[in-house]
Amino acid sequence: MIGAGIAGLSTAWELARAGHRVAVLEADRIAAGVTGHTTAKLTALHSLIYDRLRRTRGPEGARMYAQSQSDAVERAAAIAAELGIDCDLERVPAFTYTEDPARADTIRAEADAASEAGLPASYVTETGLPFPVAGAVRVEGGAQFHPRTYLLGLAEDLRARGGLIHEHTRATGLDEGTPCRVTTEGGTVVTAGDVVIATHYPVFDRALLFARLSPRRELVVAGPLPADRDPRGAYITPDRRTRSVRTAPYGDGKRLLIVTGETFTPGTGDTPERFERLADWARERFPGVEITHRWAAQDNDPTDTVPMVGPFHPGARHTYVATGFAGWGLSGGIMAGRLLTALIGGERPEWAGLYDPRRLGTALREAPALLGHQVHVGKHFVGDRLSTPRADSVDRIGPGTGAVVRLDGRARAVYRDEDGTAHAVSARCTHMGCLVAFNAAERAWECPCHGSRFGTDGRVLQGPANRPLERRDI
Ligand SMILES: Cc1cc2nc3c(=O)[nH]c(=O)nc-3n(C[C@H](O)[C@H](O)[C@H](O)COP(=O)(O)OP(=O)(O)OC[C@H]3O[C@@H](n4cnc5c(N)ncnc54)[C@H](O)[C@@H]3O)c2cc1C
Ligand code: FES
């Protein structure tokens, strides 16, 4: 198993429980990736998906999606209860709402499609939000929890079952022989009958998955709210500026309000302004909240919005992938754990085809999204080489900021620390060579092509890049 986020650890645990010997390689720590920075709603209501699915995959496809995702929510609740994991799991209804009367019909259609797919869904105009909505889909049976605590509980039980977890161990090579061989950054070779790549964006790619995944970064602000103002539910709106809302236990007569939004492509700037906009929205809509925390994370949107979970590529016999969760990888990751365990055990659940990364039936329908993504990537790949660098001199870079500068004819990513010392690394992303850009709010280098992220010292924070940006002299 490569990767110890929700997808990797859920799969490792399900495999161990089914009697397999499992080893997990994790580049960082358990749940240090997206799973540790998520909003952690567990629901089968994924914003607007069912009306689209019944058109693109038919009513049966929508039903299988609803069933497999609902099963995952129940699986998490059952595992937490069975293993006694105290992960703040609370049952709450999920809502997709609009404030725009012109979109009420879209919401009504989603409620209808979700209900037809088998979910306990209804169309409502009243919610627990402290502001009016034009309409909302309400689905019962959802939950919310603390994902890292949950995964640490799974990890403990996995170890008790004889499973091995190696943190701070980056996989850098994969040989798909019999057995498969995974090479780590330290040079160790691990052999395994089957390998699952659960590194979020796949760090190995033998099926051009990168052409079908678009990275989407989102910001999160949080802070205590008087408990009597708890909206009691997990909310999301697909309106122009996406907003997602839920609360978590906080103590002291309060709940922790968590608000997500301000989606953007990594490496496209303006992050401090976006954080301010999100915090202003939270304060305006939830009077009394005091914003105390902020963070960001990103997920990958597949061109047809359905996760890719299954065989790694058309010729794969013992390698599997779980990716493209489109912002819903908690139920998606748990679903992936069950699906991959079945596939590795020689079974084929009825929804295997729905999530199969090799699916071609939807290729034509995906074409416009695929083309749009490639135009965006091509613009950065070629355009970056033609355009002038973003700062004309290292001297213009102030403390705590960074910019791409041309030095001796080469693009360098230069960051000046608070002490005034400038640090340079290559500005060419080690994935496929696009030019990185500075994220001022998070002080990181980001690649707009497929979302790789690097620290100011060049180390990899997030793939698909798997090698650091090389240090350069100034
Ligand atoms: C702001 C935000 C809010 C969200 N809210 C929700 C929500 O409410 N509900 C929901 O269902 N989903 C939500 N999601 C989506 C969900 O969080 C993700 O889809 C999910 O966490 C992805 O899990 P993962 O296991 O695929 O990735 P990760 O958690 O990132 O795990 C991948 C792991 O692989 C490791 N890794 C990478 N490269 C290597 C390598 N070479 N060798 C070894 N290890 C490696 C990484 O260190 C990482 O730990 C949200 C996403 C965002 C961005
Ligand atoms: S992430 Fe692919 S080129 Fe940078």
Side-chain angles (χ1 to χ4, degrees):
M1 180 68 47
I2 311 178
I6 189 90
L9 264 187
S10 296
T11 310
W13 185 84
E14 295 283 358
L15 282 167
R17 181 161 168 136
H20 297 267
R21 286 182 64 212
V22 185
V24 181
L25 307 181
E26 164 54 50
D28 195 322
R29 304 289 310 276
I30 292 169
V34 185
T35 304
H37 300 85
T38 181
T39 335
K41 299 170 179 171
L42 272 172
T43 171
L45 179 65
H46 295 171
S47 190
L48 298 176
I49 188 161
Y50 290 101
D51 190 33
R52 181 188 164 114
L53 276 180
R54 73 176 168 184
R55 278 184 276 117
T56 57
R57 301 294 187 94
E60 193 53 16
R63 183 194 66 74
M64 286 193 286
Y65 188 92
Q67 176 83 55
S68 56
Q69 300 288 337
S70 302
D71 279 5
V73 176
E74 295 313 315
R75 184 70 170 166
I79 291 172
E82 181 189 320
L83 302 185
I85 306 174
D86 186 6
C87 58
D88 293 340
L89 195 137
E90 301 175 319
R91 302 303 301 226
V92 287
F95 297 84
T96 299
Y97 73 90
T98 183
E99 294 179 74
D100 179 1
R103 298 198 79 186
D105 283 348
T106 306
I107 296 289
R108 207 184 289 274
E110 184 66 13
D112 178 57
S115 175
E116 188 186 313
L119 293 179
S122 53
Y123 177 79
V124 297
T125 49
E126 294 292 324
T127 71
L129 290 168
F131 49 86
V133 303
V137 187
R138 176 179 171 131
V139 169
E140 310 300 335
Q144 52 193 20
F145 70 157
H146 192 298
R148 182 169 151 78
T149 318
Y150 174 78
L151 286 192
L152 291 179
L154 275 195
E156 191 183 327
D157 191 66
L158 175 62
R159 288 191 179 106
R161 291 172 188 273
L164 302 172
I165 304 176
H166 297 281
E167 295 181 287
H168 301 298
T169 304
R170 180 174 291 278
T172 51
L174 171 64
D175 169 11
E176 298 183 56
T178 313
C180 301
R181 291 158 65 88
V182 178
T183 311
T184 71
E185 202 169 28
T188 306
V189 176
V190 180
T191 56
D194 298 278
V195 172
V196 175
I197 296 119
T199 58
H200 193 243
Y201 207 120
V203 290
F204 308 115
D205 192 350
R206 295 181 184 158
L208 305 185
L209 292 181
F210 70 85
R212 295 162 65 197
L213 290 170
S214 306
R216 166 166 54 100
R217 197 154 185 81
E218 280 181 80
L219 307 183
V220 188
V221 296
L225 178 77
D228 59 0
R229 297 191 190 169
D230 183 358
R232 295 173 198 280
Y235 297 86
I236 190 160
T237 176
D239 288 352
R240 197 171 66 85
R241 286 194 196 283
T242 305
R243 299 286 184 251
S244 148
V245 173
R246 76 138 170 138
T247 66
Y250 189 78
D252 201 19
K254 299 204 165 129
R255 299 277 298 174
L256 186 75
L257 179 74
I258 304 172
V259 177
T260 309
E262 297 294 321
T263 306
F264 63 103
T265 302
T268 57
D270 283 347
T271 323
E273 289 82 351
R274 290 183 173 120
F275 264 121
E276 279 319 306
R277 212 159 35 222
L278 192 61
D280 285 348
W281 186 89
R283 287 189 206 100
E284 182 197 314
R285 298 306 181 94
F286 293 88
V289 68
E290 182 200 349
I291 301 299
T292 50
H293 298 72
R294 63 179 206 170
W295 68 90
Q298 71 197 43
D299 211 357
N300 303 311
D301 291 333
T303 37
D304 68 353
T305 69
V306 176
M308 299 178 189
V309 180
F312 192 23
H313 54 79
R317 295 183 57 221
H318 294 289
T319 45
Y320 301 84
V321 70
T323 189
F325 291 115
W328 298 102
L330 294 181
S331 57
I334 295 164
M335 178 281 298
R338 302 194 81 187
L339 175 52
L340 293 175
T341 299
L343 292 175
I344 290 170
E347 295 164 33
R348 194 171 160 79
E350 63 167 339
W351 40 76
L354 176 69
Y355 295 107
D356 194 326
R358 302 167 301 179
R359 58 189 177 251
L360 295 174
T362 55
L364 273 181
R365 283 188 291 268
E366 286 182 49
L370 199 69
L371 203 64
H373 181 50
Q374 290 321 302
V375 167
H376 161 79
V377 171
K379 211 172 72 188
H380 282 285
F381 192 72
V382 180
D384 287 349
R385 284 170 159 73
L386 303 177
S387 63
T388 49
R390 286 102 208 248
D392 52 15
S393 154
V394 173
D395 298 338
R396 288 181 179 267
I397 300 171
T401 64
V404 172
V405 186
R406 192 168 290 280
L407 297 172
D408 298 330
R410 304 253 177 205
R412 301 286 183 245
V414 180
Y415 168 71
R416 188 180 296 285
D417 64 26
E418 297 293 353
D419 296 334
T421 309
H423 306 267
V425 290
S426 163
R428 292 280 165 216
C429 175
T430 55
H431 178 229
M432 290 175 69
C434 291
L435 206 61
V436 297
F438 193 65
N439 176 330
E442 300 179 67
R443 296 195 182 180
W445 298 106
E446 295 179 343
C447 180
C449 285
H450 313 104
S452 291
R453 304 183 70 250
F454 305 86
T456 51
D457 56 0
R459 86 199 131 91
V460 177
L461 300 178
Q462 184 151 7
N466 213 13
R467 285 178 294 119
L469 299 173
E470 281 181 28
R471 286 176 184 258
R472 299 286 190 233
D473 292 332
I474 298 182

